[in-house]
Amino acid sequence: KQFTSHKDPMLKKRDDFEDILEERRTSSDLRYALRCYTPVLYKGVTPCKTSVLKSMVLQSDQLHYVINQVSKESGRAADDVREEASAILEEMAHSLQLSTVRFFAFMLSKVFKTLFRSICVNEEGIQRLQQAIQEHPVVLLPSHRSYMDFLLMSYILYTYDVALPVIAAGMDFMGMKFVGEMLRMSGAFFIRRSFGGDKLYWSVFSEYVKTMLKNGYAPVEFFLEGTRSRTSKSLTPKLGLLNIVMDPFLKGEVFDVNVVPVSISYERILEESLYARELLGVPKPKESTSGLFKARKVLSEDYGSIHVYFGQPVSVRSLAEGRVNRCQFNLVPRHIPRRPSEEIQSFVNDSAYRLVRAQEENMVLKPWVLLASLLLQNHHQNRAAGQKPGMALDELTTQAVWLRDVSRQYGAFLHWPDHTSPSEVVSSGLSLHRALVRVCEGRVQLAVEQGVYLFEFLAVVVLSCASYRNQMLHVFVRPALLASAIHIASSNQKQEVFNSFSFLRNMFSSEFILCPGATVQDFEEACYLLVKTGVLQVTQQEVLVTERGHRTLAFLTSMLDPFLQGYQVVCRFLCEEDTETLTEKQFIPAVRKFIVNHLLAGRLRYAEVLSSDLQKNALAALQRLGAVRKIKGYVGFHHPCVPGWLD
């Protein structure tokens, strides 16, 4: 199947996809697991034994320097510090064994065939990756929406005879009896969630990653977002590991590093209701082997298809060209650790945003994503107007076809079966997600009991649907910001609209992936898309809405409205409640209680504002804009000013 992006000025051919489960359904899984596996490594190096890798790390100049430094600062004997470094490395290091990989290959084949209809991979992306691995050290950056992601990545690479990656994993997995060690033997290395100011830990960790990378023993894989996104929106990238993997190039220790963004799109996410409950304050279950076995019941469910898109390898050398002066690294011996300069920090941050955007642009959207958006908007409109819940099935189908065409015009990578009627496509999406929607007497509505306002259940269903709607936010966020700016601007003067756009974009820069310093480009991109699709006319002085543009603008503003209301209610909470001595830990439960009261009283329209993710982002935005201040001495909040758009 060939997918095409409709982005101007040039139509770009999307890669073909192949379903890797197709062959698994007709041939022996045991033969597949035991087949000859001979991946080609960087410059033909041979795989390195774990013991050799550990010894290289412990003997490195940088680690020697830090051990001596820590010894002087703490008054401990250097041998004691060296032993501690060795223990850290022992706890951290992977011990990749082909026998364990084969066991996982066999087991995952069985599981994946049960859970998923297909796992579609772009083969051209795999070929590009194979080539990249032979030329330069490679870093794999998959999107992170499910626990399944890193197992899926290794399974795909094993299937295509590509070198298996070593994968950064959180310490919580290491605590899982038996499973933790199995993951270690399939390539996981374990790192603490935070290091604080632990110089020794940071040094062991960074040296371990850089040693693997510089020598090309295996591709290094980690999640740029740091953790799974519970909302299906891309999270603000974490820069620690990206700094480490770029360091060998910046110091001239390797000619280049290839970074490969990978986009993993699930038609139905395994943790769907779990995520919604976490966002509502239900604690995340602790990772445990018994919990894994209790989760067996998911095997009886249908989770649709997965699309995995391996993006173009991005050369760090080409990213740095004209941006970074590498001569600065010649002034200090390489083995002496130093904080990255402002220039380097800015370069790594910009690169991280570009890489997350590359992940977003290659996310394959399924028809259900469009349906979830339309059903949510309809649900909110009906509740606000006191109308009968739901919408007619044929009306939903008509609107879905309209939104399909609009999203394609905006460059969405949409998987809409071409040779199937729209009504069949819509029915298939509704059937797969029957836990969230109900079709009754030709009407479709969210799966909430009639006559009984089961508040938590409604919130879980709404937040689950919102997570699917969020999958396409990257396509619409810039036009939606412009649509909302037009709505709140006091006139149709272009400068006035731009000022409103700029304020909203700044306010939501923790909420969406908006590249730093790109306000003007984002405004121009939004104008271009809305003019191209006949929604706006933009002159030197004015931004005018066309007659046919009102429908699109209404859809776009409705898409952003839940976020606006979420930020407004956080402002209202800070103004109306006694928050002077509120700690950060108390903030989310307190604001949630405030929101629940307002929702039950009918003063709020959107149950999405219950999302703790949205509340945290709103607080971060208000702190960044100076409307809220963290008071030192105790972690509390003071609000000297709250933006006037609250009303």
Side-chain angles (χ1 to χ4, degrees):
K1 178 72 73 179
Q2 180 178 312
F3 302 103
T4 308
S5 162
H6 290 254
K7 270 193 175 172
D8 286 352
M10 197 171 86
L11 290 179
K12 184 179 87 175
K13 178 191 173 295
R14 298 280 192 178
D15 295 358
D16 295 337
F17 280 93
E18 184 200 31
D19 173 17
I20 61 170
L21 290 186
E22 201 174 322
E23 191 186 338
R24 297 276 47 76
R25 295 192 196 280
T26 55
S27 57
S28 160
D29 290 329
L30 188 61
R31 194 175 296 127
Y32 159 76
L34 296 175
R35 72 194 175 84
C36 180
Y37 173 68
T38 51
V40 179
L41 292 176
Y42 169 53
K43 291 184 176 171
V45 299
T46 50
C48 169
K49 284 185 180 170
T50 311
S51 55
V52 175
L53 178 66
K54 287 177 187 170
S55 131
M56 288 170 78
V57 173
L58 290 170
Q59 287 167 20
S60 73
D61 291 341
Q62 184 193 311
L63 194 53
H64 271 209
Y65 178 85
V66 172
I67 285 169
N68 291 331
Q69 219 184 14
V70 169
S71 169
K72 279 179 198 161
E73 287 170 10
S74 64
R76 290 164 60 199
D79 282 351
D80 286 353
V81 180
R82 196 170 290 107
E83 259 181 59
E84 188 188 338
S86 180
I88 290 169
L89 188 58
E90 210 57 45
E91 173 190 75
M92 182 185 295
H94 77 279
S95 56
L96 188 62
Q97 292 182 16
L98 192 55
S99 56
T100 308
V101 170
R102 293 190 188 283
F103 170 77
F104 268 118
F106 178 76
M107 293 301 292
L108 288 174
S109 282
K110 302 284 184 203
V111 170
F112 288 160
K113 283 188 293 185
T114 307
L115 288 176
F116 304 110
R117 296 175 190 176
S118 59
I119 296 176
C120 302
V121 180
N122 65 325
E123 286 200 296
E124 286 178 49
I126 291 286
Q127 287 159 14
R128 291 191 295 258
L129 173 62
Q130 278 174 321
Q131 189 61 40
I133 286 171
Q134 292 174 56
E135 293 170 356
H136 302 291
V138 161
V139 176
L140 290 164
L141 296 179
S143 57
H144 200 15
R145 302 290 180 271
S146 171
Y147 272 145
M148 199 59 82
D149 296 329
F150 67 91
L151 294 171
L152 188 62
M153 285 287 291
S154 295
Y155 181 80
I156 290 168
L157 297 182
Y158 179 78
T159 301
Y160 284 104
D161 215 28
V162 178
L164 286 176
V166 287
I167 308 148
M171 290 297 259
D172 27 11
F173 289 104
M174 199 179 84
M176 293 172 74
K177 283 180 191 167
F178 178 66
V179 175
E181 278 313 301
M182 291 288 287
L183 291 173
R184 192 192 291 277
M185 290 189 284
S186 62
F189 64 96
F190 297 100
I191 55 173
R192 295 174 193 165
R193 293 284 179 197
S194 61
F195 308 157
D198 192 332
K199 251 192 250 181
L200 185 65
Y201 192 93
W202 176 258
S203 181
V204 172
F205 168 57
S206 60
E207 199 56 33
Y208 176 69
V209 173
K210 284 190 275 192
T211 303
M212 286 188 293
L213 195 74
K214 284 187 293 192
N215 294 287
Y217 294 135
V220 173
E221 179 187 315
F222 63 92
F223 299 109
L224 198 45
E225 297 164 282
T227 186
R228 288 172 299 158
S229 169
R230 269 71 173 168
T231 59
S232 289
K233 286 193 294 98
S234 295
L235 306 177
T236 303
K238 305 282 190 294
L239 305 180
L241 260 162
L242 195 61
N243 264 305
I244 289 172
V245 297
M246 286 184 164
D247 197 58
F249 164 74
L250 294 171
K251 288 182 175 172
E253 295 169 318
V254 294
F255 181 77
D256 200 357
V257 173
N258 272 325
V259 184
V260 181
V262 185
S263 309
I264 307 175
S265 314
Y266 293 90
E267 191 168 10
R268 185 180 165 208
I269 294 170
L270 273 85
E271 300 98 325
E272 175 183 281
S273 63
L274 193 71
Y275 286 167
R277 288 187 165 85
E278 276 186 50
L279 293 170
L280 292 167
V282 177
K284 171 188 161 205
K286 193 174 183 294
E287 280 79 15
S288 68
T289 308
S290 61
L292 187 68
F293 286 113
K294 281 176 193 164
R296 284 196 319 272
K297 65 178 182 193
V298 301
L299 293 172
S300 61
E301 302 251 351
D302 178 1
Y303 288 90
S305 61
I306 302 176
H307 281 75
V308 183
Y309 190 98
F310 286 80
Q312 289 281 354
V314 177
S315 151
V316 174
R317 173 174 279 273
S318 67
L319 283 177
E321 204 170 328
R323 283 287 315 264
V324 176
N325 175 11
R326 293 196 293 160
C327 296
Q328 60 186 286
F329 292 98
N330 298 334
L331 304 174
V332 180
R334 282 179 191 158
H335 67 271
I336 297 179
R338 46 180 277 187
R339 285 190 68 79
S341 65
E342 269 186 41
E343 178 197 31
I344 297 295
Q345 283 178 34
S346 168
F347 163 68
V348 173
N349 192 43
D350 289 354
S351 302
Y353 273 86
R354 282 180 63 174
L355 290 162
V356 175
R357 269 208 84 178
Q359 281 178 352
E360 287 185 331
E361 284 171 6
N362 290 323
M363 284 285 186
V364 177
L365 305 180
K366 313 297 192 308
W368 166 248
V369 171
L370 310 185
L371 300 177
S373 305
L374 294 166
L375 287 167
L376 268 180
Q377 290 196 11
N378 172 263
H379 170 76
H380 296 315
Q381 285 158 10
N382 288 349
R383 279 193 63 216
Q387 291 173 349
K388 187 179 175 184
M391 65 196 298
L393 181 54
D394 54 355
E395 169 65 9
L396 177 62
T397 306
T398 304
Q399 287 198 28
V401 169
W402 170 79
L403 187 52
R404 173 197 69 186
D405 297 341
V406 171
S407 57
R408 278 181 171 162
Q409 286 177 311
Y410 287 17
F413 192 172
L414 186 65
H415 175 235
W416 183 289
D418 292 330
H419 306 297
T420 312
S421 71
S423 57
E424 284 178 82
V425 173
V426 169
S427 294
S428 171
L430 295 174
S431 168
L432 184 67
H433 295 274
R434 57 186 172 274
L436 301 177
V437 283
R438 181 176 294 124
V439 184
C440 184
E441 295 175 1
R443 287 183 73 78
V444 187
Q445 63 187 72
L446 298 189
V448 182
E449 295 297 325
Q450 284 311 295
V452 184
Y453 195 78
L454 297 171
F455 188 73
E456 189 189 340
F457 187 61
L458 169 81
V460 167
V461 169
V462 167
L463 285 175
S464 297
C465 285
S467 77
Y468 289 104
R469 186 263 331 268
N470 290 347
Q471 288 184 23
M472 68 176 195
L473 277 172
H474 66 276
V475 175
F476 289 109
V477 67
R478 288 157 191 82
L481 287 169
L482 179 53
S484 297
I486 291 166
H487 186 64
I488 65 172
S490 55
S491 75
N492 56 13
Q493 290 296 302
K494 192 175 181 183
Q495 187 59 49
E496 184 74 35
V497 173
F498 175 75
N499 291 344
S500 296
F501 177 90
S502 183
F503 171 75
L504 288 172
R505 187 190 181 281
N506 191 9
M507 173 61 80
F508 286 127
S509 60
S510 301
E511 196 71 53
F512 311 116
I513 296 299
L514 298 161
C515 298
T519 305
V520 173
Q521 294 96 304
D522 284 349
F523 181 73
E524 286 172 355
E525 183 186 321
C527 286
Y528 167 74
L529 287 170
L530 291 179
V531 168
K532 183 185 86 162
T533 50
V535 175
L536 296 181
Q537 288 178 331
V538 180
T539 66
Q540 285 287 312
Q541 276 78 38
E542 290 185 315
V543 176
L544 303 167
V545 182
T546 64
E547 192 54 45
R548 55 179 278 216
H550 290 289
R551 181 184 184 182
T552 305
L553 275 195
F555 172 79
L556 291 170
T557 51
S558 294
M559 184 169 253
L560 213 55
D561 271 352
F563 298 97
L564 275 167
Q565 188 172 89
Y567 280 47
Q568 286 171 335
V569 76
V570 168
C571 286
R572 193 162 286 129
F573 166 75
L574 291 167
C575 288
E576 293 176 12
E577 299 291 304
D578 178 21
T579 59
E580 293 280 323
T581 57
L582 198 65
T583 65
E584 245 174 317
K585 203 172 179 181
Q586 294 164 338
F587 171 75
I588 294 295
V591 81
R592 184 183 294 117
K593 187 179 172 187
F594 180 83
I595 288 170
V596 167
N597 291 337
H598 278 260
L599 278 166
L600 290 173
R603 289 190 290 271
L604 289 177
R605 189 171 173 182
Y606 302 104
E608 289 105 302
V609 300
L610 281 165
S611 163
S612 57
D613 182 75
L614 190 147
Q615 294 152 17
K616 285 172 190 167
N617 289 340
L619 186 64
L622 291 169
Q623 281 181 252
R624 195 180 62 251
L625 295 174
V628 169
R629 182 169 82 233
K630 236 191 243 195
I631 301 167
K632 288 181 180 172
Y634 63 92
V635 188
F637 300 107
H638 170 61
H639 43 89
C641 57
V642 173
W645 63 276
L646 172 70
D647 304 317

